[in-house]
Amino acid sequence: IAARALRDKERQVSIKRQLDEQKQAALLARLERRRVERLEINERKAKIAEERLYHAWQSRSEALQQAEEAFHVKHAKQEERLRALLESKSEEIERRKRKAESKRAAIHEIHETQLDVEEEKKRQIEKKHEERARAAEDAEKVKLTRFVSASHERLGAQHLARAIHEI
């Protein structure tokens, strides 16, 4: 009986040990599954984080590229506006120069015209003076001629009167 009880006891211990080993094996298997699941979850999380990081980097790169393009476009527009402004200023300066030159030419022509008019007036005045002087000379000559004629006529009349008187 004691040997039987001992065998039963050993069998119970053996069964209990087998149950404990099975429980422990099941527990270890469950822990291993959980560890594998955690590793898989962590890998998925890492992959998702990596994708998010890549997308964020890609978005940032695209935004940076768009900003650079916008800057270049804005810079090109500013250069174009500056070039147009400089060109318009140059044209304005050139237009002002031409306008000033035409004003100077007009003033010079007016001045020349005034000088020509004044010279013409002087010539006309001199001509009038010369004509008046000639007319005065001619009148003086006519007067002298008349005087001389009248003198000759008086002398002739006196000679005639003396000759008649002498006769």
Side-chain angles (χ1 to χ4, degrees):
I1 293 183
R4 199 172 177 199
L6 188 62
R7 269 191 312 231
D8 284 342
K9 187 82 165 158
E10 282 178 5
R11 201 176 349 143
Q12 281 180 349
V13 168
S14 171
I15 291 173
K16 193 174 179 184
R17 200 176 326 145
Q18 283 178 348
L19 283 176
D20 284 344
E21 284 175 2
Q22 286 176 350
K23 282 182 185 178
Q24 191 161 2
L27 180 65
L28 283 176
R30 204 171 50 227
L31 285 175
E32 183 62 24
R33 274 196 314 271
R34 279 189 185 166
R35 188 182 70 78
V36 169
E37 287 173 0
R38 289 278 176 215
L39 280 175
E40 288 173 354
I41 289 171
N42 287 341
E43 282 178 8
R44 275 187 265 145
K45 283 182 180 179
K47 197 174 224 179
I48 290 171
E50 183 180 326
E51 286 176 3
R52 284 182 182 165
L53 182 64
Y54 175 74
H55 288 300
W57 174 81
Q58 193 174 22
S59 295
R60 185 174 180 276
S61 294
E62 288 172 1
L64 183 61
Q65 185 178 5
Q66 288 174 352
E68 285 178 355
E69 288 172 1
F71 171 77
H72 290 300
V73 167
K74 184 178 179 182
H75 184 67
K77 285 180 181 178
Q78 284 178 340
E79 282 183 348
E80 179 62 28
R81 274 186 287 205
L82 181 61
R83 187 189 58 73
L85 180 65
L86 289 173
E87 191 174 292
S88 115
K89 285 292 183 185
S90 295
E91 289 172 359
E92 178 69 19
I93 290 169
E94 191 62 34
R95 187 183 62 76
R96 285 182 181 176
K97 281 181 182 178
R98 285 192 306 268
K99 189 175 179 180
E101 185 63 34
S102 72
K103 277 185 180 180
R104 276 194 294 273
I107 290 170
H108 180 71
E109 189 163 326
I110 290 170
H111 187 261
E112 288 293 319
T113 305
Q114 286 176 340
L115 287 176
D116 291 344
V117 166
E118 287 176 10
E119 282 184 31
E120 185 62 31
K121 282 181 182 178
K122 283 180 184 177
R123 269 189 257 128
Q124 287 177 357
I125 291 171
E126 286 176 4
K127 190 176 176 182
K128 279 184 181 179
H129 284 304
E130 287 175 7
E131 287 175 2
R132 284 181 186 162
R134 256 188 258 121
E137 282 179 20
D138 290 344
E140 191 65 35
K141 282 181 187 176
V142 168
K143 224 182 198 182
L144 273 173
T145 307
R146 285 185 189 156
F147 179 73
V148 170
S149 256
S151 293
H152 283 287
E153 283 179 19
R154 273 182 288 186
L155 270 177
Q158 284 175 358
H159 283 297
L160 187 63
R162 260 193 242 153
I164 290 178
H165 197 339
E166 285 181 9
I167 307 189

